[in-house]
Amino acid sequence: MLGWRDFHRMKAREIAVQAGLVLLVLVIVIGSVRSAQVNLATLGITSGFSFLDRSTGWSYSFSLLERSIDDPYARTLLIGFLNTVFVGSISIVLATILGFVIGTMRDNRNIGLQVISSVYIQIFRNIPLILQVVFLYALLIHFPGPRQAYSISDTVFMSNRGIMMPVLSLPLGAVAGVVLGSVLLGIGAARHAGSTRRALAVWLAGTVVLFVAAAILLTPDGRDLVSYPELKGLRFVGGLTLSVELVAMIVGIVLYGAAYIGEVVRGGLAEVPRGLREAGESLGLGAFAVWWTIRVPMALRSIIPPLGNQWIFIMKATTVGVAIGFSDLFYIVSTSITQSGQTLELIAILMGAFLLVNFALAQAVNWLNARLALKGYGS
Amino acid sequence: MNAAPPAIGAFERLQRRAFRTPLDGLVTLVFVALLAGLAWQAIDWGVLRAVWRAEDVALCREAASGACWSIIDARHRLILFGLYPFDEHWRSTSAAVAIIATVVLSCIPWFWTTRRLVSLWIAGFATYYLLMDGSLLGMAQVTTDKWGGLSLVLFLFSTVVLIGMPTGLGLALMRRSRLPVLRLVASLLIDFIRSLPLLTTLFTAAVVVPILLPDWLQGDKIWRIIIAFSLFFACYQAEVFRGGFQAIPSGQFEAGMALGLGKWQALGLIILPQVFRHALPATINMVVVTFKETAVVIIIGLFDLLASAQAAFGTGDWVAYYMETYIFVALIYWAFITSLGRYGEFVKDRMKQDEH
């Protein structure tokens, strides 16, 4: 291998090859810029990011923040980005949990658990994700209307408008604050609590306390602590509504992702030497203790790298939302392109956003990996 | 390994795996009952109470009826062939068979030499193209915008693999080249494409490239999408090949040079055959994923299986039978992907055995 300072050691032909490649890249870049200028001029589009301040004038299905159709493009794009990160993170967490359950079932001796988890993986892994999401969406929008909604003891309702459930009447800012506090608490507990069990206990208790405190202190005056969904005329009022698009997206991505993560987990568990498990058993540990304190910690080292790839895959998979009209970043960007014509700028924003998110995820996985590495093994 | 454990009978094995402890037994019974219940529901709805023929569609509206496969009987040509002209459907069928035969034949070890594999794929692909387009065979020409359904999916899949495989090898070689510029360009391209969702790459090819290229270079939308998809495949496949290269000790290359082989000869005769072998399981996996991922092209506006399925239940009387149509399409995908995946497992096992 040659480094950048070794040019004097290369043969003329090698230098020519490299110069040719540089030239080719330059020709492509300059040619693209030139013809972009010509083509944009014919279309009458001024390039630049000034369109971000214009208001959009169109609406979309889902947003975490307050929104109106007068929002500027910048805010609409931010909402799309938040939606992508929101659905992506929830799906990552749920798919990882379900994946560990499926993978452990596959690994279990019991034949009933093995068969059912294999059937699960065979079905959900071998059908394209987009088909599963579209199918789920079609099923959900064919649910009965709000008046005939299925209900669980009249507090949770399922209709063709989505799932309605009771919720704390906290303003969004307070919820975000509690979630942030809980994450920080989790990190702090993981660092200082010593054992996993104690860290989990501190984190769970702390989060509950945070939620209760926020509910008591921050609920707006004159409103109940908990808001329940109620049928008023043709629609539900109050409570939290999970829209059909959101449910189809999350359920679809989680079921699909969990099938892959399940295989990763099973592979990781299978690599743990049998002797370790037998040692645990002969110490008198129960089945759960052997799994939780010996096999999972050992397996994590081979699980984390492919698991990280699955997380990045899930984040990228949120783009299928466009097939069912869920307003993820890709949907917002493609609608913005048809509405405003600022194709190049919007695509650059889309790519930049995904590079950023995936880079952050990859860093998080590397950090996890480094933390879990056994001292004295490998690098 | 010490002495093998004493042989046990099938019954005893079942007992150990299903009823070791009372709890084990309970879990087994619950899950087997659950699975059997689900299977029974599926058979009852999908087979026993189902309506099969297009003429009987009136029966579907009765409350007691199950799945309405009438829609498949009536509309399967639309689902499988898309907008392809009705009288020429036999061409679409034969073309699809040609691609399937190519894939099946390349699973046979006899074909695993570069020359045989390349000629097989080029022959299969040429047959497909000549039949589908038709103009060179003196039949009525059908342009690519009319291609749809299963044949379109197979076309996308096979062109992407055909173009992406050598490109991926090229990128992998560039990434481990001695020359820094080649390494840099390949690494940037691979890492960039791999961090973007496939949909973004395809969308860029469909929407942005027309702005960046002069008119005479743009070509059909379908070809732009295929080239972008191939690039996506190539970037992933390059990493698969890189894994294969890492498994070969560098001494082998040096031994080749010492025998008086040139650089490219050593690469082609000694290194690459082993790289391909090591990379085979991951390559098959990549091919399976590619088949599955072709389903997103509906979003870029190609008339693939999913789009033609939505068209099949999109009109008047058939709207209620969306579920049957989606299940039909899901079964088609499932059959292809499962058989490819099973083959991948088989190859992996065989290679494990060879190593012992």
Side-chain angles (χ1 to χ4, degrees):
Chain A
M1 288 260 182
L2 295 170
W4 291 99
R5 298 196 180 162
D6 297 326
F7 274 98
H8 60 279
R9 280 172 50 202
M10 290 176 203
K11 295 177 200 145
R13 201 170 55 92
E14 293 176 339
I15 293 178
V17 167
Q18 302 190 69
L21 186 64
V22 172
L23 202 68
L24 182 71
V25 171
L26 280 180
V27 166
I28 292 176
V29 170
I30 295 174
S32 306
V33 172
R34 277 288 165 79
S35 58
Q37 281 166 346
V38 174
N39 288 334
L40 288 178
T42 14
L43 292 169
I45 294 170
T46 26
S47 43
F49 287 89
S50 56
F51 75 98
L52 288 175
D53 300 328
R54 288 209 304 265
S55 76
T56 57
W58 38 270
S59 188
Y60 42 90
S61 64
F62 179 79
S63 167
L64 289 169
L65 307 178
E66 290 290 319
R67 43 103 180 242
S68 81
I69 60 167
D70 298 325
D71 284 342
Y73 274 96
R75 186 175 166 86
T76 312
L77 287 166
L78 174 70
I79 288 174
F81 178 70
L82 289 179
N83 289 347
T84 288
V85 174
F86 174 70
V87 168
S89 333
I90 291 192
S91 307
I92 284 175
V93 172
L94 295 180
T96 306
I97 296 172
L98 186 58
F100 267 84
V101 173
I102 301 284
T104 307
M105 281 165 75
R106 280 268 282 171
D107 177 70
N108 196 286
R109 241 189 322 248
N110 185 292
I111 203 166
L113 296 177
Q114 267 183 21
V115 169
I116 203 144
S117 50
S118 317
V119 169
Y120 174 90
I121 289 178
Q122 286 300 322
I123 291 176
F124 287 97
R125 206 177 60 158
N126 289 353
I127 296 173
L129 172 64
I130 189 167
L131 179 53
Q132 296 190 38
V133 169
V134 169
F135 187 28
L136 257 172
Y137 179 69
L139 281 181
L140 290 171
I141 55 170
H142 284 84
F143 266 46
R147 278 160 171 271
Q148 291 85 33
Y150 301 123
S151 81
I152 304 171
S153 68
D154 277 337
T155 46
V156 177
F157 297 90
M158 288 164 75
S159 75
N160 60 4
R161 303 285 170 80
I163 298 177
M164 289 80 182
M165 57 167 82
V167 67
L168 293 172
S169 349
L170 281 173
L172 192 72
V175 176
V178 170
V179 170
L180 188 68
S182 164
V183 170
L184 290 178
L185 187 68
I187 294 174
R191 289 213 164 163
H192 301 294
S195 75
T196 316
R197 185 176 298 184
R198 209 189 300 163
L200 267 181
V202 167
W203 175 70
L204 267 180
T207 305
V208 171
V209 168
L210 266 177
F211 251 110
V212 172
I216 293 170
L217 295 175
L218 297 176
T219 299
D221 289 335
R223 284 174 66 180
D224 294 331
L225 276 187
V226 179
S227 144
Y228 289 94
E230 275 174 86
L231 190 62
K232 289 252 171 73
L234 286 170
R235 52 194 228 100
F236 281 92
V237 181
L240 175 72
T241 302
L242 302 177
S243 69
V244 178
E245 291 86 10
L246 183 67
V247 175
M249 278 287 280
I250 292 182
V251 174
I253 295 177
V254 167
L255 291 179
Y256 185 83
Y260 271 92
I261 295 179
E263 281 296 86
V264 168
V265 171
R266 184 188 66 99
L269 288 174
E271 274 176 32
V272 178
R274 228 171 115 159
L276 284 176
R277 178 164 77 187
E278 286 164 356
E281 280 165 1
S282 64
L283 283 174
L285 294 180
F288 181 78
V290 169
W291 181 75
W292 179 244
T293 60
I294 296 179
R295 304 194 66 206
V296 169
M298 288 306 290
L300 271 184
R301 281 154 191 113
S302 51
I303 287 176
I304 293 288
L307 183 63
N309 287 340
Q310 291 308 318
W311 289 351
I312 289 173
F313 172 83
I314 288 178
M315 203 42 100
K316 294 194 280 190
T318 53
T319 47
V320 299
V322 72
I324 57 170
F326 179 81
S327 46
D328 70 312
L329 184 63
F330 184 80
Y331 175 94
I332 297 280
V333 164
S334 59
T335 314
S336 302
I337 285 176
T338 30
Q339 296 288 331
S340 75
Q342 306 284 349
T343 317
L344 296 179
E345 297 83 355
L346 285 159
I347 286 285
I349 291 175
L350 178 65
M351 288 180 169
F354 269 105
L355 291 182
L356 185 76
V357 171
N358 288 335
F359 179 74
L361 256 179
Q363 289 303 311
V365 172
N366 283 346
W367 177 82
L368 257 180
N369 225 355
R371 238 190 98 81
L372 285 172
L374 282 178
K375 291 180 185 73
Y377 279 82
S379 52
Chain B
M1 271 288 168
N2 296 327
I8 50 173
F11 180 74
E12 203 175 338
R13 214 161 37 223
L14 180 71
Q15 198 191 7
R16 278 196 192 176
R17 293 186 57 192
F19 302 103
R20 239 169 109 88
T21 64
L23 181 66
D24 242 0
L26 185 70
V27 169
T28 307
L29 287 180
V30 168
F31 277 98
V32 168
L34 185 71
L35 203 61
L38 285 175
W40 167 250
Q41 287 281 327
I43 291 170
D44 183 45
W45 178 80
V47 181
L48 298 181
R49 290 190 291 127
V51 180
W52 297 92
R53 291 184 310 166
E55 308 86 270
D56 299 337
V57 64
L59 292 176
C60 290
R61 294 199 191 89
E62 284 169 20
S65 72
C68 186
W69 301 118
S70 313
I71 184 172
I72 308 299
D73 191 20
R75 315 278 279 181
H76 67 273
R77 284 196 173 217
L78 174 61
I79 300 175
L80 291 177
F81 303 115
L83 302 174
Y84 207 80
F86 191 85
D87 292 334
E88 311 289 341
H89 279 175
W90 65 271
R91 275 160 57 185
S92 190
T93 313
S94 333
V97 169
I99 293 290
I100 295 172
T102 306
V103 173
V104 170
L105 287 180
S106 30
C107 290
I108 301 170
W110 188 80
F111 279 97
W112 291 356
T113 64
T114 313
R115 190 178 303 167
R116 283 177 191 159
L117 217 50
V118 169
S119 358
L120 175 69
W121 274 74
I122 289 177
F125 183 75
T127 315
Y128 178 95
Y129 196 87
L130 290 176
L131 278 168
M132 284 299 273
D133 184 76
S135 57
L136 285 175
L137 293 181
M139 296 180 285
Q141 188 184 15
V142 180
T143 47
T144 50
D145 54 315
K146 291 271 177 6
W147 297 10
L150 183 60
S151 309
L152 180 69
V153 170
L154 291 168
F155 174 68
L156 286 173
F157 165 69
S158 54
T159 25
V160 165
V161 173
L162 196 67
I163 302 175
M165 202 61 92
T167 316
L169 183 60
L171 282 174
L173 286 172
M174 274 172 74
R175 198 170 191 173
R176 43 181 296 115
S177 155
R178 292 172 66 236
L179 310 179
V181 174
L182 266 62
R183 281 207 301 273
L184 181 75
V185 170
S187 310
L188 280 181
L189 185 66
I190 291 173
D191 291 343
F192 180 68
I193 298 279
R194 277 165 54 95
S195 4
L196 293 179
L198 170 63
L199 209 43
T200 309
T201 313
L202 298 187
F203 188 72
T204 308
V207 177
V208 180
V209 169
I211 298 179
L212 296 182
L213 288 184
D215 284 341
W216 51 271
L217 250 177
Q218 286 179 16
D220 268 353
K221 180 167 126 187
I222 190 170
W223 281 109
R224 289 204 303 273
I225 291 175
I226 284 175
I227 289 180
F229 206 148
S230 309
L231 189 63
F232 171 87
F233 178 85
C235 287
Y236 277 84
Q237 187 58 32
E239 291 296 278
V240 169
F241 282 137
R242 183 157 86 143
F245 275 112
Q246 279 168 351
I248 318 288
S250 59
Q252 297 215 6
F253 187 78
E254 286 152 19
M257 302 291 266
L259 282 174
L261 294 177
K263 203 168 71 176
W264 292 103
Q265 277 178 314
L267 189 70
L269 295 173
I270 299 177
I271 307 294
L272 282 185
Q274 299 184 76
V275 169
F276 291 148
R277 213 185 117 79
H278 279 283
L280 191 58
T283 302
I284 296 174
N285 187 35
M286 198 50 225
V287 168
V288 176
V289 169
T290 305
F291 190 86
K292 208 164 22 174
E293 294 275 310
T294 53
V296 302
V297 296
I298 180 180
I299 291 179
I300 318 293
L302 293 189
F303 208 77
D304 74 333
L305 257 183
L306 191 50
S308 59
Q310 290 184 340
F313 66 76
T315 47
D317 298 344
W318 299 112
V319 178
Y321 309 117
Y322 64 95
M323 206 169 9
E324 288 83 348
T325 321
Y326 278 139
I327 290 176
F328 178 64
V329 172
L331 279 175
I332 295 177
Y333 271 111
W334 189 83
F336 276 99
I337 294 167
T338 307
S339 21
L340 276 173
R342 274 289 143 88
Y343 172 72
E345 311 248 301
F346 161 75
V347 168
K348 217 192 231 167
D349 288 348
R350 216 183 86 137
M351 286 178 55
K352 247 186 215 150
Q353 280 170 14
D354 286 356
E355 276 163 21
H356 288 303

